[in-house]
Amino acid sequence: MVKLRVTTVEEFYELRQCKMSSRAGIRLSQFSRQFARASPFRRAPGRRYQTTDAAPAPAQGTVSRLWNSPVGIKTWALVIAGISDFYRPPEKLSMTQNLALTATGAIWTRWCFIIKPRNILLAAVNFFLGCVGITQVTRILRYQQSVKAGTVAEAVEQDAKDAAQTVKGTTTAVNPEAAAKSAIR
C-alpha cells in the first residue's frame, strides 16, 4: 500500500481534483483524515493555555465570602424574611405574594433535583421557602374564613336575639327612644 504524503493545502487540492480509480479515492480520503489531524489549528489534547495577564483574585474577608457564597446568607435572606412575616397579623399579608413564594419554592426545589449535579443546599433553601409560603397562605385563608364565618354567625345570632326579644316585648337597645318605639310595636 502506497501512502501519499502531502505537506501543503495546494497539493491536497491537486490530488483531490485528479481522476483516480476507486482505490486511489480511498487513499485520498485516508489522506484527508491524516491532513486534518496534523492541522496547525488543532490543539493537542490536555493542553490548556493561560495568559500571564490575568490578575489574581482579590482576597475576600470571611463576611464577604459568606455573603457571596451560593449557599450563604444572601440565598437564605428570602426565607428569613418570610419567617419574620410570621409575626405580622394575617390581614396585612399578601395572598399573591405568598402564593408566588410557594410556587417558587416548589418549582425550584424540583429543578434542583433534576439538574446534574444535584444542588442539595439550594434545594433545601427552596424547600423551606415553599414551606414558609404554604404556612402564610394557610394563615391568610384561615383568617379570611374566620372573618366570613364571624360576620355571618354574628348576624344570625343578633337576628335570633332580636326576634326572641321582640316576641317577649323587650329590647336590649341602649337608646331609650328605640326601646320605646320597639315596645309600641
Side-chain angles (χ1 to χ4, degrees):
M1 178 158 60
V2 177
K3 290 207 172 193
L4 298 173
R5 283 279 182 198
V6 177
T7 57
T8 64
V9 176
E10 290 82 21
E11 290 177 7
F12 170 74
Y13 284 119
E14 287 176 15
L15 270 175
R16 196 168 187 192
Q17 291 176 357
C18 318
K19 294 189 177 179
M20 300 180 184
S21 68
S22 64
R23 188 168 185 192
I26 292 172
R27 288 182 187 156
L28 182 62
S29 69
Q30 289 173 349
F31 162 73
S32 64
R33 287 183 193 151
Q34 176 188 359
F35 185 74
R37 285 187 198 125
S39 172
F41 298 109
R42 287 196 61 186
R43 225 181 348 149
R47 291 187 65 188
R48 296 180 184 216
Y49 299 100
Q50 183 177 3
T51 63
T52 57
D53 303 358
Q60 292 181 338
T62 305
V63 175
S64 66
R65 276 188 289 139
L66 184 60
W67 182 259
N68 294 324
S69 168
V71 291
I73 296 170
K74 193 169 33 174
T75 309
W76 286 89
L78 196 56
V79 176
I80 294 168
I83 291 172
S84 69
D85 282 346
F86 287 161
Y87 297 108
R88 293 179 69 194
E91 62 268 9
K92 294 196 177 198
L93 296 174
S94 168
M95 176 66 92
T96 54
Q97 178 183 358
N98 286 294
L99 283 173
L101 284 177
T102 304
T104 301
I107 291 167
W108 284 103
T109 300
R110 177 69 180 128
W111 183 251
C112 289
F113 288 115
I114 291 174
I115 60 173
K116 302 291 184 213
R118 289 185 179 146
N119 194 341
I120 303 299
L121 293 173
L122 187 60
V125 169
N126 288 305
F127 174 76
F128 286 115
L129 183 65
C131 290
V132 166
I134 287 172
T135 304
Q136 297 291 44
V137 167
T138 305
R139 284 183 63 210
I140 294 168
L141 290 175
R142 288 180 65 197
Y143 170 74
Q144 289 175 350
Q145 287 177 349
S146 71
V147 167
K148 286 179 184 176
T151 57
V152 170
E154 289 173 2
V156 168
E157 185 178 322
Q158 187 62 34
D159 287 342
K161 284 182 183 179
D162 288 343
Q165 289 178 358
T166 304
V167 170
K168 290 181 183 178
T170 61
T171 184
T172 59
V174 179
N175 188 352
E177 291 175 5
K181 287 181 182 178
S182 67
I184 294 173
R185 289 187 216 170

